Amino acid sequence: MKRFFVLPLVAAGFFLQAQSIGNSPYAAFGIGDVKYDNTTDVNAMGGISTAYIWDFNNNFNFSNPAANKNLELATLKVEATNENNFFKSDYGNINVTKHSTYLSNISIAFPISSKVKFGMGYQPYSSKKYSILRQTTFDTGTVRSELFRGEGTLSTVQAAVSYQISPEFAMGFRTNFFFGNLYDNNEVAFSNSELINGYETKNKIKTFNFTLGTAYQKKLEKDRKLTLGATYTFGNTGQMETAYTNSTYFYLPGETKANQAIIDQKFSKDKNLIPMEFSVGAGYGQDAKWFMGTQFDFKKGETIQYLGQPFSNQNSYKIAAGGWYLPNYNNFRNYFSRVTYRYGAYYEKGNLSINGTNINQFALTAGVTLPFENRSVNRMSGIDLGIELGKRGTVDNNLIRQNFINLRVGINFADKWFMKRLYD
């Protein structure tokens, strides 16, 4: 048992120390950049998860908690993401590159019985980390400087359970607890004035919501199968506390504010933070050989306080398609025949609209699952690798285009940890 835990715990410690979630200036609006809500193998298939039931017995689907009929082993997953973003804008001919590496998922799952499966895990849900300086020089020679800064991370802890009602139909339930702090600050200064005018928003978040899922899989002739799935996420039982301050001050050495004078302060509470979502998907494949699927996601817009004013995101949707291919899981003479190859793509109509322009996103994805051991039946421990290449936004209307290359790695340790025989 001990050997199974050493490597993931070391990996988790490294990525927690290196936890720096960078993202684009678009993170300034709302709750920041929302991260992917699934695992490395699912992301490598374009994010299709609603109608995805892994053929083998070592994987738990958190996105659709009903799609876990084949889980028979206890699994421990540790995953990390490396983001590489390349920003370009025709406004001032700006070119900026940002990199970040962080722990993106840690989870454990196991079967309680042949019909009931349980899992729990942690993921960062969204993040802010931006700094934008805009300067204007007047005819008098006075320079007006405006600095926009933001930081913070919103994380989620999940617990999910699935119940197999019949060999073909299952239902699942997941609870999500969101927690974290998000900060936005806008400072305005003039070269002929000592004082700075600052507008600061602090959001403290502790909230729940819930996801219901259904999954249906029908076996057909020649080992073919049809899979259908749907999820619905609803409810906010917690709240977000927002503190807004408009003040003037100047900085002493060490970034300490001095002579601060409060102009305006506001405090509010809001439950409309994590929006309603639903997803439907369908897939078709052959047992232990290949699978392809498609998915449609819809997310309702949400409102959040930004620099003292409510900021509303619009409704958004995402269309994804992808799948996997496994040449021959029984071929022990050729390791690469036992590797699972994954592929996918997605298009997302984003929830941001700036200067009358939608901030949309498109990406191609790919990946592999590399098994550790020569065990064809259990398909136990292994490494998931994934890559995502895409584009977000546009340079039109003085906006920013974000090209990105995201690399993901996951380690999955699986065994019958809780079902060992006491006596031979």
Side-chain angles (χ1 to χ4, degrees):
M1 278 295 295
K2 291 183 179 180
R3 69 181 186 275
F4 287 106
F5 285 96
V6 172
L7 184 57
L9 290 178
V10 170
F14 170 77
F15 286 112
L16 282 173
Q17 290 177 1
Q19 195 85 342
S20 175
I21 308 179
N23 41 49
S24 76
Y26 293 125
F29 304 97
I31 60 174
D33 270 349
V34 175
K35 304 300 177 181
Y36 73 108
D37 183 25
N38 47 49
T39 51
T40 298
D41 56 322
V42 170
N43 185 264
M45 300 185 295
I48 59 163
S49 57
T50 303
Y52 171 60
I53 301 175
W54 180 229
D55 284 16
F56 301 95
N57 58 7
N58 66 336
N59 216 347
F60 191 89
N61 187 338
F62 281 89
S63 295
N64 184 354
N68 292 294
K69 65 181 293 184
N70 295 327
L71 179 71
E72 296 178 1
L73 303 177
T75 71
L76 174 66
K77 279 192 173 184
V78 178
E79 300 184 339
T81 296
N82 171 250
E83 294 183 348
N84 303 276
N85 295 308
F86 310 92
F87 305 106
K88 177 178 174 55
S89 176
D90 288 345
Y91 181 78
N93 293 319
I94 297 173
N95 286 278
V96 178
T97 301
K98 293 183 68 177
H99 309 277
S100 61
T101 300
Y102 58 94
L103 178 71
S104 53
N105 176 52
I106 182 167
S107 63
I108 186 170
F110 51 88
I112 296 177
S113 69
S114 61
K115 292 186 176 181
V116 181
K117 317 295 170 64
F118 175 81
M120 61 185 304
Y122 158 85
Q123 286 186 331
Y125 180 78
S126 69
S127 67
K128 286 176 179 279
K129 190 177 182 183
Y130 65 92
S131 180
I132 306 170
L133 176 63
R134 184 169 60 189
Q135 292 184 320
T136 304
T137 303
F138 299 102
D139 295 337
T140 59
T142 301
V143 178
R144 182 182 188 271
S145 299
E146 192 168 14
L147 178 63
F148 296 87
R149 294 183 297 172
E151 63 181 36
T153 300
L154 182 60
S155 300
T156 177
V157 174
Q158 307 168 336
V161 63
S162 63
Y163 179 71
Q164 197 70 31
I165 298 175
S166 71
E168 297 176 345
F169 182 72
M171 296 192 69
F173 175 80
R174 187 183 81 199
T175 179
N176 316 290
F177 174 61
F178 300 89
F179 62 96
N181 298 286
L182 301 174
Y183 305 91
D184 294 288
N185 195 11
N186 175 210
E187 294 182 328
V188 180
F190 293 86
S191 58
N192 58 357
S193 175
E194 182 183 45
L195 291 177
I196 298 172
N197 193 188
Y199 307 84
E200 184 179 55
T201 301
K202 295 182 179 180
N203 295 305
K204 183 178 181 180
I205 300 159
K206 291 182 180 180
T207 187
F208 282 92
N209 70 359
F210 307 95
T211 299
L212 293 177
T214 61
Y216 173 84
Q217 189 172 80
K218 176 70 174 179
K219 291 189 175 182
L220 308 174
E221 296 180 352
K222 298 180 180 180
D223 293 329
R224 305 296 171 91
K225 58 189 176 184
L226 173 68
T227 308
L228 304 175
T231 65
Y232 184 86
T233 300
F234 60 95
N236 275 295
T237 61
Q239 64 185 12
M240 176 181 68
E241 298 177 353
T242 301
Y244 166 74
T245 303
N246 177 5
S247 63
T248 60
Y249 49 85
F250 62 85
Y251 282 112
L252 294 174
E255 297 293 313
T256 302
K257 291 182 181 179
N259 198 32
Q260 184 174 17
I262 304 299
I263 299 174
D264 186 25
Q265 279 187 316
K266 297 177 182 178
F267 182 81
S268 63
K269 296 182 179 181
D270 193 358
K271 293 184 178 182
N272 186 24
L273 174 65
I274 308 298
M276 177 276 290
E277 302 178 47
F278 73 82
S279 175
V280 292
Y284 181 75
Q286 182 179 354
D287 278 341
K289 189 68 177 180
W290 58 269
F291 176 82
M292 61 178 63
T294 186
Q295 183 170 314
F296 175 82
D297 302 332
F298 173 84
K299 181 184 293 185
K300 187 178 180 181
E302 74 275 6
T303 300
I304 188 172
Q305 293 293 318
Y306 176 65
L307 300 179
Q309 300 295 326
F311 180 86
S312 297
N313 287 318
Q314 59 186 0
N315 296 341
S316 63
Y317 65 83
K318 178 181 177 181
I319 301 171
W324 57 264
Y325 172 70
L326 177 59
N328 186 353
Y329 69 89
N330 277 323
N331 186 354
F332 294 101
R333 295 182 179 181
N334 187 344
Y335 176 81
F336 293 100
S337 293
R338 294 182 286 111
V339 172
T340 304
Y341 302 89
R342 305 180 187 275
Y343 58 90
Y346 67 84
Y347 170 80
E348 183 175 2
K349 176 189 174 294
N351 57 5
L352 283 178
S353 180
I354 303 174
N355 295 339
T357 303
N358 290 328
I359 309 302
N360 302 327
Q361 183 169 307
F362 169 80
L364 300 174
T365 63
V368 294
T369 297
L370 307 172
F372 278 170
E373 304 179 40
N374 295 331
R375 299 186 185 182
S376 61
V377 177
N378 285 334
R379 300 289 297 174
M380 301 175 83
S381 302
I383 297 178
D384 293 313
L385 302 176
I387 184 171
E388 180 182 19
L389 298 89
K391 183 185 77 169
R392 181 187 186 193
T394 175
V395 295
D396 297 339
N397 297 326
N398 293 327
L399 296 177
I400 295 173
R401 184 180 67 217
Q402 175 185 356
N403 294 321
F404 56 86
I405 302 175
N406 297 330
L407 306 175
R408 297 186 170 92
V409 57
I411 305 174
N412 182 11
F413 289 90
D415 199 354
K416 294 186 177 181
W417 294 344
F418 305 112
M419 294 178 284
K420 296 284 188 181
R421 292 184 179 180
L422 295 178
Y423 304 100
D424 293 329

